[in-house]
Amino acid sequence: MPVRRSTMRRVASRMRRAARAWADASRTLVRRAFYAGTRRECPVCGHSARRFLAYGLVPRDDARCPSCGSLERHRFAWLYLAQRTDLFDRRPKRVLHIAPEACFAGRFAERIGSGYITADLRPQFVAESIDLERIPHRDDSFDVVYCSHVLEHVPDDRRAMAEMRRVLRRDGWAMILVPITSERTIEDPSITDPRERERLFGQHDHVRRYGPDFVDRLEEAGLGVTVATVSQLVGAGDAARMGLTASAGDIYHCHRT
Ligand SMILES: [Zn+2]
């Protein structure tokens, strides 16, 4: 009996996943048809649209790709990865992707292959459940670590940075991105009330706001940082076409020092 019940649960869960995937695909097709046009182009999925969707708690117009769901920062990161890194060169490499973005995970897996590892604190939808402050991997074990918009949630971000450096191979690199929303980094570990965190740090589960001094923290953790802006990568026309507004932020491309 228990076997039969667990089999039924597995089948039910598979059916729920299939129904969800079908509903997602249907919604994407409807959105793609509704936003059909050529004024916008998403470098992540390659689809064009007349405009991107509004997105955010305080909605930003023209932000989210109607086909793959990419936001400004994803499209900028994709361009940077394609143009300035070896991530997509199809050579075997070990890549640790922390909190994988839905618009990236499948595309990274297809290009990187078996060395691609997804990880998150929560085990759903990833290969490994990982606490960034204690990464359960040996020193020098990854060619690439990709971690975007995660550290603002992590209590001891300095330790997490040191951990990411530790697991990087000597000639490896990391892309570590955070939202820069303050003139200086502000944090207060004594503030744990979600409403107070939202008021001070912009989101109920954020533990700080970062300023441009984020780079100093990376450097203190033993990482050399190349900062790249949208205008260094594409002209104004392409930036507008791909929806790379100020919300795209900057790229922090890190190497071991
Ligand atoms: Zn897209």
Side-chain angles (χ1 to χ4, degrees):
M1 269 324 196
V3 172
R4 184 172 290 173
R5 216 173 281 149
S6 73
T7 306
M8 283 173 67
R9 267 203 300 272
R10 262 205 311 277
V11 171
S13 150
R14 224 173 278 157
M15 285 174 70
R16 273 198 302 274
R17 272 206 304 276
R20 238 188 340 252
W22 185 85
D24 285 350
S26 305
R27 270 197 297 272
T28 300
L29 283 175
V30 170
R31 272 199 306 261
R32 210 177 276 168
F34 188 74
Y35 287 93
T38 55
R39 288 181 61 226
R40 297 285 179 263
E41 185 187 328
C42 173
V44 180
C45 67
H47 281 102
S48 54
R50 66 187 157 87
R51 66 182 165 85
F52 295 126
L53 310 178
Y55 182 83
L57 290 174
V58 181
R60 312 187 292 280
D61 279 339
D62 222 1
R64 187 168 186 259
C65 171
S67 291
C68 71
S70 71
L71 299 174
E72 302 91 335
R73 67 174 184 269
H74 304 133
R75 295 190 289 273
F76 181 31
W78 184 272
L79 279 181
Y80 188 91
L81 291 168
Q83 293 183 16
R84 303 283 174 93
T85 77
D86 60 0
L87 190 65
F88 301 147
D89 68 4
R90 306 265 176 187
R91 284 200 208 115
K93 51 178 71 67
R94 297 238 316 147
V95 177
L96 181 63
H97 189 174
I98 310 289
E101 299 83 346
C103 63
F104 282 168
R107 293 177 172 88
F108 280 15
E110 190 271 319
R111 287 163 176 79
I112 297 161
S114 60
Y116 176 58
I117 296 172
T118 54
D120 201 333
L121 196 54
R122 288 164 299 189
Q124 297 94 336
F125 314 119
V126 291
E128 294 186 6
S129 174
I130 278 183
D131 177 352
L132 210 46
E133 294 176 13
R134 280 170 289 276
I135 300 176
H137 283 277
R138 287 197 302 269
D139 298 0
D140 311 321
S141 52
F142 288 98
D143 301 290
V144 178
V145 174
Y146 188 93
C147 177
S148 174
H149 286 231
V150 174
L151 288 177
E152 66 273 20
H153 302 265
V154 176
D156 191 346
D157 64 335
R158 289 183 169 90
R159 179 163 177 166
M161 291 171 188
E163 278 291 272
M164 287 190 271
R165 181 194 182 279
R166 180 183 66 75
V167 299
L168 263 188
R169 287 181 177 148
R170 175 139 299 280
D171 57 352
W173 56 270
M175 198 179 276
I176 304 173
L177 312 181
V178 295
I180 303 293
T181 57
S182 180
E183 290 197 355
R184 297 283 303 170
T185 298
I186 52 166
E187 60 192 331
D188 182 346
S190 71
I191 296 169
T192 55
D193 176 51
R195 279 166 305 183
E196 194 60 0
R197 281 179 168 175
E198 183 166 358
R199 187 178 75 78
L200 289 170
F201 308 135
Q203 200 169 298
H204 70 91
D205 54 352
H206 283 185
V207 296
R208 70 183 63 78
R209 280 184 187 274
Y210 282 109
D213 55 314
F214 171 60
V215 173
D216 302 336
R217 287 197 187 196
L218 291 169
E219 288 174 350
E220 283 158 22
L223 293 162
V225 187
T226 303
V227 182
T229 61
V230 167
S231 61
Q232 290 169 345
L233 221 62
V234 291
D238 283 343
R241 193 164 49 81
M242 292 186 275
L244 304 177
T245 61
S247 296
D250 292 341
I251 297 286
Y252 300 91
H253 186 184
C254 308
H255 294 83
R256 283 177 52 170
T257 52

